[in-house]
Amino acid sequence: ELFVFQKKIGWRLDNRGHLHAFTMEFFPLLIRDYSRRLGNNDPSLTDLNLKCAGMSDEKFFEPILRGLHKNNQVQIVDLYGNDLADGVESFASILSANKSIRVLKLDRNRINCESVKCIAKGLESNSTIEEITMDDNEIGPDGAEAFAEMLRNNKSIKKISLRSNRVGNRGSIALFNGLKDNTSVEQVCLSFNDIKGLEVANALRDLLQTNHTIKIFRIWGNSLGATGGEKVAKGLEQNHGLQELYLGQTDMGDDGAIAFGDALRKNKTLKKLYLYRNAIGTKGAMGLASGLRLNLTLETLKLGLFEEQDENYCKAIREIMYWLQLNRSGRQNVYEHAISLPYPLWAHVFASVSEQPEVLNYFLRAKPDLFIS
């Protein structure tokens, strides 16, 4: 059964797919049931979903904690929106001992720097948690530094999300430095964190140049600026692991976009690049189009609309769309794998783009030797 709570009304989805509403007067019974099932290691309880469930009340939270101390079946713990605040410190003691939890969601719980220090300490010796999200909390720079120190020792976490935590420059630089030597984290989100300026951009550049494990990086809504964008692009040039980079609303403008165009000439792994709301005009679009001529891997590029669209801007956008279409259709195979790809398989390659005349024409012109007997 799935239980979802919103304010004073709960919704229960039974195993027949029927949805039932009930008042929060039923909640103590649910807590008692969950606690019993946790303590008994009920194998059917693997996803502990307690979103917006009023867990800030100690009489509700303590039975759950006791049950989790003994449990080795639950793999997902979702405590979104419970205003746990200092109560998180009690939960942190479970982390060092528990061997079953894989995903921990603590978004919107008013977690401050002292609470996150306890969580970080528990995670240092934890070897099973692979994903932790703490979006929309109050960990600040000190909390980010404690989290960064944990990343130097933890070898299991693959996904981290700390969106909207006001970590600032000091906190973000500490996290970037902590991630340099980390070989397990594959996804990072630090969007909307009051990060700004050249110092942070330099630290992110250094991270991209040294860490090739991270595959997805989100840093939306932070004022890196044009020069900052250039620094990040420089790091991307030497990175050979990142597949998705989200840099919307970072104030990079045309100069930053041109720098990313240059980076795309050298980068061979990036597949998605999001540059929404960066006031990228004609010069920036032309720079990106130029870079894509030599890039074989980027398949998605999001720019958003630019208000002043002249003829050259529209031409650059059309060219960008053309190169992206080629990449999605397998342009990399034509250039990098033509020798190793068995001849009979080329029929499948061309058949896959047979309804795209522009792409098929490009492939035929690029590899005429395939049709010479």
Side-chain angles (χ1 to χ4, degrees), residues 61-132:
F61 195 36
E62 284 301 321
I64 295 295
L65 288 177
R66 288 196 300 270
L68 282 171
H69 267 292
K70 304 174 183 178
N71 186 276
N72 56 19
Q73 298 293 330
V74 171
Q75 297 181 25
I76 301 173
V77 176
D78 191 344
L79 296 172
Y80 173 98
N82 276 287
D83 289 334
L84 292 176
D86 295 337
V88 172
E89 296 180 19
S90 302
F91 183 79
S93 62
I94 295 172
L95 300 178
S96 57
N98 185 278
K99 303 299 180 186
S100 67
I101 298 174
R102 298 284 184 274
V103 178
L104 178 59
K105 299 181 180 182
L106 296 171
D107 309 324
R108 295 197 175 187
N109 274 294
R110 293 192 294 116
I111 298 172
N112 56 32
C113 66
E114 295 305 317
S115 298
V116 83
K117 286 177 182 178
C118 296
I119 294 172
K121 187 175 181 179
L123 287 171
E124 278 188 6
S125 55
N126 182 286
S127 59
T128 56
I129 289 182
E130 298 177 357
E131 176 183 338
I132 180 166

Side-chain angles (χ1 to χ4, degrees), residues 194-225:
D194 296 333
I195 301 171
K196 60 187 70 176
L198 194 56
E199 185 180 10
V200 174
N202 282 330
L204 181 52
R205 175 202 60 196
D206 295 344
L207 172 62
L208 293 176
Q209 289 175 341
T210 56
N211 183 303
H212 306 287
T213 305
I214 298 173
K215 292 180 173 59
I216 301 175
F217 206 110
R218 292 180 171 86
I219 192 165
W220 288 80
N222 292 292
S223 300
L224 299 178

Side-chain angles (χ1 to χ4, degrees), residues 46 85 139 210 340:
T46 58
I139 72 172
T210 56
S340 60

